Amino acid sequence: MLKVHVLDEVYRHSSNVAHGVEVPAGARLMFTNGQVGTKLDGTTPEATADQAKVVFGRLKVVLEAANMTLGDVVRFDVYLTDQADVKTFVEVRDHFMGDHKPGATILVIKGLARPELKIEIEAVAAKLD
């Protein structure tokens, strides 16, 4: 079981994330590649919120391949192309993650691999069988 650390001794995040997540000894780890908002049919929605929903759907599929769920995620690395989309990402993430609080780093960058992409997310997950 993951142990989530939300500490009063460190300034609280403005969103639903932990300061740290402890992985128990013997846990299996999964590191996903960057998932983007392109659907299986090759189309990419224009809105960042819609791309983020696709990303979380893709992450669920990758995690399921290892018999894991979003509840096993230890951390996210999030890449956005617009500072204004941070709030959008947080809202979508909180919808998918519920009360689970993995750590996260959010970077706002100039661009991603294709010009229509507005968000990319990598995840690290851990599960003790």
Side-chain angles (χ1 to χ4, degrees):
M1 182 62 103
L2 300 176
K3 184 174 181 183
V4 176
H5 297 274
V6 179
L7 307 170
D8 291 333
E9 299 84 8
V10 180
Y11 183 77
R12 286 200 172 279
H13 291 281
S14 59
S15 62
N16 191 28
V17 297
H19 292 106
V21 180
E22 191 173 337
V23 176
R28 292 184 297 114
L29 296 175
M30 172 175 269
F31 297 81
T32 73
N33 70 327
Q35 298 297 315
V36 297
T38 301
K39 298 178 183 180
L40 188 58
D41 66 6
T43 62
T44 304
E46 186 172 328
T48 303
D50 293 334
Q51 287 190 27
K53 291 173 188 173
V54 171
V55 168
F56 276 96
R58 289 174 58 143
L59 286 170
K60 285 173 68 173
V61 170
V62 173
L63 291 165
E64 286 169 2
N67 194 30
M68 294 181 174
T69 69
L70 290 171
D72 297 311
V73 172
V74 174
R75 69 169 285 107
F76 291 118
D77 289 313
V78 182
Y79 304 89
L80 294 165
T81 60
D82 188 338
Q83 179 77 40
D85 288 331
V86 171
K87 182 179 178 192
T88 299
F89 160 72
V90 167
E91 290 170 355
V92 173
R93 180 206 57 208
D94 288 353
H95 170 77
F96 279 91
M97 299 308 292
D99 290 333
H100 183 51
K101 302 175 188 299
T105 296
I106 301 174
L107 299 172
V108 179
I109 60 173
K110 183 176 177 180
L112 293 164
R114 297 191 321 266
E116 71 272 19
L117 298 175
K118 298 178 179 182
I119 185 169
E120 185 167 342
I121 302 175
E122 298 173 6
V124 177
K127 184 173 183 178
L128 191 59
D129 292 322

